[in-house]
Amino acid sequence: MQPFKPKVKAPAPELLHNMQTILQNNQLATVCEAAACPNRAECYSRGSATFMILGDVCTRACSFCNVKTGHGQKVDDEEPLRLASAIKDLNLKYVVITSVDRDDLKDYGAEHFAACVKSIKEHNPEIKIELLTPDFRNNKASLNAVIASDAYKLAHNQETVRRVSKSVRPQSNYDRSLKVLEYYAKNSNKIIKSSLMVGLGEREEELRESMRELLDVGVSELTIGQYLQPTPKHHSVEKYYDAQFFEDLKAEAYAIGFKAVASGILVRSSYFAEEL
């Protein structure tokens, strides 16, 4: 199989330094760095980042993900204020807040999500906030906590098709993710979003089935991107798709009823989130 060598725009050194300085001064983590996102150079050049709260150690171990795995870190009660301060310093108008899985916490970290939204809005009243949440093990109190927040959009990634999900997300559950998205859709008036990766071993008909299932539970926005193996230890890439495949899939997603779709080789769940 030919190795895939995507080309991404290199950031201006001063912009990269400014972003990293603000993050370091506020002791914040971004999924851009932790997950080795191929778009982080482009996002930094736009002064944008997806913030990762609740530490950078995940209590789950998905075979496609480059985030560290281990025991969850102590919840930092000062993080919401530092996050709000950094966002103000960066003069952002739209932010995505996500986190590692925190199965070690009673509420799975949901109240911390809500606290971050509250602090951000207090310091940046006009900002729009997208929450990309874990499944919280479908705990209704946790789901209600983020629904009650002043977030503009709620997202949870399905990641892959039902058959493949069992092997690449062994501590998660395909149907549980659907139930989380359905609960968000039925119990809020917020925009509901999800994401799929391709190249993990799925069949094209399975991918289309997952798209229909996401639409059926109330997801209106969808992102689709090529899986890229972070390190040799991670799940191998089973197939590379060409650009036309993603364009065709985007057209199909719109045709069956999705309201907004981003589909492309380097598209990730937070890619140009403010424009989706």
Side-chain angles (χ1 to χ4, degrees):
M1 183 181 294
Q2 280 293 103
F4 181 71
K5 297 180 179 179
K7 295 180 180 180
V8 294
K9 184 179 179 181
E14 63 275 13
L15 291 177
L16 181 59
H17 176 73
N18 180 58
M19 172 66 77
Q20 292 179 337
T21 298
I22 291 174
L23 293 174
Q24 290 170 2
N25 288 345
N26 288 281
Q27 301 172 35
L28 296 172
T30 65
V31 72
C32 318
E33 296 295 338
C37 178
N39 300 311
R40 62 190 185 280
E42 182 180 6
C43 293
Y44 285 175
S45 70
R46 302 193 334 263
S48 175
T50 296
F51 293 92
M52 187 165 67
I53 61 175
L54 290 165
D56 61 354
V57 179
C58 187
T59 55
R60 299 186 192 178
C62 298
S63 66
F64 61 83
C65 184
N66 197 42
V67 175
K68 293 181 289 187
T69 299
H71 297 292
Q73 299 165 332
K74 184 179 184 298
V75 176
D76 183 355
D77 293 334
E78 299 301 317
E79 184 174 52
L81 181 58
R82 294 200 310 273
L83 181 58
S85 176
I87 288 169
K88 189 170 185 177
D89 288 344
L90 291 166
N91 194 32
L92 301 178
K93 304 301 181 186
Y94 191 104
V95 295
V96 180
I97 308 299
T98 190
S99 81
V100 293
D101 281 289
R102 291 302 304 267
D103 294 327
D104 58 310
L105 300 176
K106 185 177 180 180
D107 69 343
Y108 307 102
E111 291 293 344
H112 195 72
F113 266 95
C116 286
V117 173
K118 181 180 179 181
S119 182
I120 292 168
K121 293 292 283 188
E122 286 175 350
H123 292 80
N124 309 267
E126 301 303 316
I127 201 167
K128 288 183 177 179
I129 303 171
E130 176 178 325
L131 297 184
L132 174 55
T133 75
D135 62 24
F136 300 129
R137 293 198 175 274
N138 198 29
N139 178 277
K140 297 304 186 291
S142 296
L143 299 179
N144 288 334
V146 296
I147 287 173
S149 74
D150 198 14
Y152 168 72
K153 186 181 298 186
L154 295 179
H156 171 66
N157 290 344
Q158 187 64 284
E159 306 292 13
T160 188
V161 303
R162 183 185 300 277
R163 177 179 55 83
V164 177
S165 184
K166 297 175 182 179
S167 61
V168 301
R169 299 199 308 160
Q171 294 159 288
S172 299
N173 182 281
Y174 184 92
D175 287 305
R176 184 167 67 202
S177 287
L178 284 179
K179 289 176 181 177
V180 167
L181 289 163
E182 184 174 38
Y183 193 84
Y184 282 161
K186 286 185 174 180
N187 293 279
S188 77
N189 59 359
K190 305 180 193 298
I191 297 168
I192 311 301
K193 174 181 169 184
S194 193
S195 181
L196 292 167
M197 294 181 290
V198 299
L200 285 161
E202 73 289 332
R203 293 187 286 268
E204 291 185 22
E205 60 269 25
E206 292 177 313
L207 188 58
R208 293 180 174 89
E209 180 183 358
S210 289
M211 289 166 54
R212 289 191 294 270
E213 288 180 326
L214 289 170
L215 188 67
D216 287 345
V217 298
V219 174
S220 62
E221 296 189 353
L222 179 67
T223 66
I224 307 167
Q226 172 71 51
Y227 167 65
L228 300 176
Q229 187 176 3
T231 75
K233 296 180 180 179
H234 287 82
H235 193 289
S236 61
V237 179
E238 300 298 326
K239 182 177 181 179
Y240 292 113
Y241 294 84
D242 61 23
Q244 188 58 52
F245 171 82
F246 289 99
E247 284 301 311
D248 292 344
L249 208 57
K250 179 179 180 179
E252 288 185 40
Y254 275 122
I256 65 173
F258 283 100
K259 302 300 183 185
V261 183
S263 178
I265 294 170
L266 292 181
V267 167
R268 296 297 180 264
S269 57
S270 300
Y271 186 65
F272 277 83
E274 73 278 11
E275 296 183 14
L276 190 63

